[in-house]
Amino acid sequence: MPSNTGAHALKRDRRSLWYLFCQPWAEEEDRKRLVVYARAFLALYGSIIFWIGAWDLITESRVLSARRSGELPRQHWEAIIHGRAREILCLVLGYLGVVLADTHYGNAGLSGTWWPISFYRIRSPALRFVVKALRLGVAVGSMLALWIGVYNVIEAYVLDNTRLRNYIFLGVGFVLLCATSTLYHFSFVLPAGEDEDVPSSRSPPMVHLSMTLRASISIVAQNLVWVGAYDLLEEEAAGWHRELFYWALGLMLILMTSITIEHSWIETEYKEAPPQHPSLMMLGRCILAAAGQVIHNTGFWTLLDDDFVFDPSPSRNAVYAVVGFLCLVASRSINNNFGISVPHDADDEGDAEYGDDEEEAAGVAGINADVDGKVNGRGGVGKMSSRGKPTSRTPLLQ
């Protein structure tokens, strides 16, 4: 009896971006998937551009501070408050902000919310828009403050900046990510199955306390990895050729490990790769995916942040921040980028309020059915989206 292994291999390969480049207009489903990838790249690079601009508006460029080994990055507002206190203030205000905006778990890539469900069921459209806009504003500002504060404290106050220190940061960071079971979230390679005990407003306080501790440790661990990797990759100043190589190598690893869509944080039903159960093979994929995104983001960040493209200036940074923010809005990924999640059971008025596109859903269901042998439908709280958040549509200001 003839084997159909080849046919199944072709269907599985249709998930990948490589297939779309080879036969981009083969079928209607492929054209839809190409649009998804376009959104993914828009979101991915929009996020990096926004962070470069916003980071340099708040504190000194990472490129410049990395070249002054052992010194604290200079702040534009250092005349008001000096030294360690300003970094601690930035960290504390950022932490309080993400808790207030209910984005603390999302900042670590985890699922869950503590806001009462009534916050998502405000009947007045005007009041609902105001609440969502305020939440987004607090989420953006507090996430910037938190990550800049944690990064700068680690960079300036934890050991002297040496190659050994940076290797220690990488090792400790990965150990903590494994200990908190967030290596999958950091590398955007989520295991098969549903997340356990997704906290909601109805969860006991101990569940939230445990998740808060897990998210806090994960954020520190991720910053340890970023500081160690960035200082190792940018240990010595070099020309744009090296940064272009970093960007290309990282992008190749991202494509090879099939995390393009997950890394962009867009909300879509398309699956770039079939879910895997935890194994040594999956651990290897996680490490390659994490290395890919770190190398890619470092190269692209340095290309735009240094004077290879534009001379550093407040006006340039403001343009970067605005352009990046607009890219996130256009790609409909702004909520996920800043850790904003919405419980599925908040959708009490049907999918119409959340802009569910039935035609797109039908097309996606057909593709996923071809590949997985089943339709990957939406579930309640606990059914995970591509970022590990509860599965519900999250358009702008959702």
Side-chain angles (χ1 to χ4, degrees):
M1 184 174 181
S3 171
N4 59 357
T5 303
H8 283 297
L10 178 60
K11 287 182 179 180
R12 294 177 71 86
D13 188 53
R14 284 178 53 202
R15 295 179 183 271
S16 68
L17 188 59
W18 303 112
Y19 174 85
L20 295 177
F21 283 149
C22 295
Q23 302 184 40
W25 309 113
E27 297 181 12
E28 179 70 20
E29 291 82 359
D30 297 326
R31 291 196 290 270
K32 291 179 180 178
R33 190 183 289 110
L34 193 60
V35 172
V36 171
Y37 275 106
R39 280 183 57 210
F41 280 112
L42 181 65
L44 174 59
Y45 290 109
S47 176
I48 300 174
I49 293 170
F50 170 81
W51 272 92
I52 295 172
W55 188 291
D56 291 359
L57 284 172
I58 296 175
T59 185
E60 185 183 40
S61 162
R62 291 170 68 195
V63 173
L64 297 178
S65 63
R67 293 176 184 168
R68 295 185 294 100
S69 175
E71 295 183 33
L72 185 68
R74 296 167 182 159
Q75 304 280 4
H76 302 307
W77 36 280
E78 60 185 356
I80 303 175
I81 183 170
H82 296 273
R84 187 178 308 179
R86 82 180 169 220
E87 301 303 330
I88 299 299
L89 178 64
C90 200
L91 191 158
V92 170
L93 291 178
Y95 193 89
L96 292 176
V98 297
V99 171
L100 175 64
D102 197 13
T103 59
H104 183 215
Y105 303 152
N107 267 252
L110 299 173
S111 310
T113 176
W114 63 264
W115 272 23
I117 201 69
S118 57
F119 277 87
Y120 303 99
R121 292 177 173 173
I122 299 174
R123 297 300 178 182
S124 169
L127 182 58
R128 184 166 61 243
F129 178 84
V130 170
V131 171
K132 292 174 181 178
L134 287 175
R135 185 189 186 194
L136 178 61
V138 173
V140 173
S142 58
M143 184 175 185
L144 286 169
L146 175 63
W147 283 76
I148 290 175
V150 175
Y151 187 98
N152 285 346
V153 166
I154 293 173
E155 176 71 76
Y157 292 114
V158 182
L159 304 178
D160 293 330
N161 190 352
T162 63
R163 184 175 297 182
L164 175 60
R165 181 206 75 163
N166 296 324
Y167 280 121
I168 291 174
F169 281 176
L170 282 176
V172 172
F174 273 105
V175 168
L176 290 177
L177 288 173
C178 292
T180 55
S181 299
T182 55
L183 176 61
Y184 299 131
H185 304 83
F186 178 70
S187 61
F188 300 97
V189 180
L190 297 182
E194 300 183 0
D195 212 24
E196 297 181 359
D197 298 328
V198 177
S200 69
S201 59
R202 306 180 183 92
S203 300
M206 288 304 298
V207 172
H208 283 286
L209 182 61
S210 173
M211 184 64 77
T212 297
L213 181 62
R214 181 185 176 198
S216 300
I217 295 175
S218 178
I219 290 172
V220 173
Q222 292 180 48
N223 275 278
L224 284 171
V225 172
W226 281 110
V227 172
Y230 190 89
D231 287 350
L232 285 172
L233 291 170
E234 301 294 331
E235 188 174 17
E236 296 179 0
W240 61 270
H241 302 85
R242 183 187 68 182
E243 310 308 328
L244 193 62
F245 171 74
Y246 285 164
W247 170 77
L249 175 62
L251 182 60
M252 182 184 70
L253 291 174
I254 288 174
L255 295 175
M256 286 177 57
T257 52
S258 300
I259 63 166
T260 309
I261 293 177
E262 285 77 8
H263 186 22
S264 69
W265 294 37
I266 64 172
E267 191 80 15
T268 178
E269 300 288 347
Y270 284 106
K271 290 184 175 295
E272 194 171 5
Q276 290 180 271
H277 292 282
S279 62
L280 287 178
M281 183 74 71
M282 185 175 180
L283 178 61
R285 183 184 168 207
C286 285
I287 294 174
L288 285 177
Q293 64 156 318
V294 169
I295 295 171
H296 168 270
N297 290 13
T298 296
F300 189 74
W301 184 298
T302 307
L303 277 173
L304 294 189
D305 199 10
D306 211 332
D307 56 3
F308 300 130
V309 181
F310 302 108
D311 291 331
S313 68
S315 58
R316 182 209 71 169
N317 298 332
V319 170
Y320 277 175
V322 171
V323 170
F325 190 86
L326 292 177
C327 289
L328 295 178
V329 173
S331 62
R332 292 176 291 167
S333 64
I334 192 165
N335 283 343
N336 282 348
N337 264 277
F338 296 108
I340 297 176
S341 60
V342 180
H344 179 75
D345 55 356
D347 186 5
D348 64 337
E349 295 183 12
D351 286 339
E353 182 180 350
Y354 295 93
D356 210 338
D357 189 330
E358 295 182 0
E359 181 179 353
E360 178 186 0
V364 172
I367 294 172
N368 289 337
D370 280 344
V371 181
D372 293 335
K374 63 179 181 179
V375 175
N376 295 292
R378 288 165 47 177
V381 170
K383 202 73 166 180
M384 296 291 98
S385 68
S386 59
R387 285 222 62 178
K389 295 183 174 57
T391 318
S392 70
R393 304 298 292 238
T394 54
L396 177 61
L397 298 183
Q398 178 56 50

